[in-house]
Amino acid sequence: MTVTNDAAFTAMTNGEWYFDSEATVQQRNETRLALQKTDQILDNATRMATIQKLLGHTGSDFFIETGFEFSFGQNISVGDHFYANRNVLICDEGRVTIGDSCKFGPGVSLLTPYHPLAPTERATKKEISGAITIGDHVWLGANVTILPGVSLGNNVVVGAGSVVTKSYPDNVILVGNPARVLREIPAK
């Protein structure tokens, strides 16, 4: 089931404030069930083909270890030569674009949704999303978290356990919480 014609889904994907609709809740539930079944497939080629059908776009040479989770799938676009280790989470309420030749360590989280800061507004359950864009040749170490609205340039390396709260250009190594530039990577 695709919910692209649902007003809540459109607002969510476009980065506008939204409340979940019956259609978005049903789609999330169907996605969870599909992912649970996919994790039980032992043949890697069959498992990859099944995952690729759930995503918006995937390039060639695509491999993800078990424990991969996402909210909808159709908002995720992945380039060529992608590898993700175990237990990667992509909350794709907003669009997630991943470039070519990227590698994700275990426990990486890409989180597009966020909530109001004021507790009374947060209690209404409204949400908004911020798209995430990952450039080419990016390596995210184990347990890296990328927050809503972040764009990373090409050739970026993010050290294990880092929390990326803002966007960064090409050719940098990021570490820490919040992540900061450790050093630049010489262009070759």
Side-chain angles (χ1 to χ4, degrees), residues 10-83:
T10 300
M12 174 185 68
T13 303
N14 290 336
E16 302 166 14
W17 288 105
Y18 68 94
F19 295 91
D20 275 335
S21 65
E22 284 186 35
T24 57
V25 170
Q26 181 179 350
Q27 179 63 40
R28 269 195 208 99
N29 290 340
E30 289 177 11
T31 300
R32 284 185 195 125
L33 183 59
L35 289 170
Q36 288 172 0
K37 290 177 180 177
T38 301
D39 255 359
Q40 302 306 309
I41 299 171
L42 296 179
D43 178 71
N44 284 331
T46 303
R47 190 165 54 83
M48 290 311 101
T50 304
I51 291 171
Q52 287 176 295
K53 288 178 188 172
L54 297 172
L55 300 179
H57 169 79
T58 57
S60 64
D61 191 22
F62 172 89
F63 191 86
I64 295 179
E65 299 288 353
T66 58
F68 183 45
E69 293 186 47
F70 48 84
S71 304
F72 297 97
Q74 65 197 63
N75 290 329
I76 301 170
S77 176
V78 180
D80 295 333
H81 313 294
F82 178 73
Y83 173 80

Side-chain angles (χ1 to χ4, degrees), residues 119-134:
T120 54
E121 265 195 285
R122 197 167 47 250
T124 68
K125 298 185 180 179
K126 74 177 181 179
E127 294 184 22
I128 194 167
S129 65
I132 293 175
T133 303
I134 307 292

Side-chain angles (χ1 to χ4, degrees), residues 152-181:
L152 296 179
N154 298 323
N155 311 315
V156 172
V157 175
V158 183
S162 297
V163 178
V164 184
T165 61
K166 64 181 186 176
S167 297
Y168 287 93
D170 297 349
N171 304 312
V172 293
I173 298 174
L174 306 174
V175 296
N177 180 6
R180 65 193 183 290
V181 175

